[in-house]
Each structure stands twice: as C-alpha cells, then as structure tokens.
Amino acid sequence: MDRLTALVAIAHLKLRLEFIERNPQLLDEGLMEIRRPMELAGLKARLTRAKKQEGDIALTGTRFDKVMDQIDELHGVSKNHVGQLEVYAGELRLTVEGMVAGSNGLPNEDSESSTASSDGGQG
C-alpha cells in the first residue's frame, strides 16, 4: 500500500469514527453496517476467472511453441530439399547445354532429317 492510499484509508476511518461519535444511536439501532467497497464485490469470481485465463494462456502458449518448433523443423527440411533441387537443376542444365551445344563430330539429327527430306523431294 502506498502512502497516499494509506492516508486516504486513515482519513476514511477517522471520518467513520467521528460519525459514530456524533450519532451513537445508530450503533445501538444496528443501522450502521460495514459495507464492502464496490471494487471488492465479485472479487472472488474475478480472481477465479483470472486464474482460469492464466491457465488457458499457458496452455495456448505451449501449443504455440510446439507448432513453431514443427514449422522450424519443416522449414529446415524444405531448405535442404531446395538445395538438392538447385544441385539437380544445375546438373540438368549442364546436360541439356552439353546436348545442344556439344558436337561429337556427327551431324545433328535435325540437320540429317532436313537433308534427307530435301534429297528425297528432288530425286
């Protein structure tokens, strides 16, 4: 409790005491009752609800952590897979470029078929 709150509480008690001293008949008649402050009304239910929410949040946090761990794991696997695909793409590119650009001394199949068709048309 901070100083200001303590001072207010003391002043409230002094005021209540003065009220009782001026009107002692109220004590005798039982009209003077100690009431709960409005802030405390339903406090037990609020505390119970807060504890339940705290537990729910902890459970949700645990579930969230598990999902994030799974995502990290799968992301690592996908990174490895992408690396393998990049290697495969490089090898495939070299193979295709070797087939297109490379010559082993023989004419390309396209040039043979065009020569044969042009010879066949004239003969």
Side-chain angles (χ1 to χ4, degrees):
M1 177 181 298
D2 64 342
R3 245 180 179 191
L4 180 62
T5 307
L7 287 173
V8 169
I10 291 170
H12 184 62
L13 289 174
K14 284 182 179 180
L15 180 65
R16 185 179 285 177
L17 181 61
E18 187 176 325
F19 184 73
I20 291 172
E21 286 174 353
R22 289 186 182 182
N23 303 303
Q25 75 278 6
L26 294 178
L27 271 179
D28 294 335
E29 296 172 8
L31 297 176
M32 184 72 176
E33 42 180 90
I34 300 173
R35 296 181 182 165
R36 290 194 295 185
M38 289 303 284
E39 303 89 47
L40 296 179
L43 185 62
K44 184 177 179 183
R46 289 184 185 125
L47 288 174
T48 304
R49 181 179 176 195
K51 281 192 174 198
K52 183 181 181 309
Q53 283 178 340
E54 188 176 310
D56 290 346
I57 289 170
L59 180 63
T60 302
T62 302
R63 290 176 58 204
F64 183 82
D65 289 341
K66 285 180 183 177
V67 169
M68 291 304 291
D69 290 343
Q70 291 173 355
I71 290 171
D72 288 342
E73 183 179 320
L74 293 172
H75 184 239
V77 169
S78 68
K79 281 167 112 176
N80 290 338
H81 183 66
V82 168
Q84 293 170 352
L85 288 176
E86 289 171 342
V87 169
Y88 177 71
E91 291 173 356
L92 185 60
R93 180 180 303 279
L94 289 175
T95 302
V96 170
E97 287 175 352
M99 290 170 59
V100 170
S103 172
N104 56 2
L106 298 173
N108 291 339
E109 291 179 9
D110 292 340
S111 62
E112 283 181 14
S113 62
S114 62
T115 308
S117 63
S118 61
D119 289 342
Q122 292 176 354

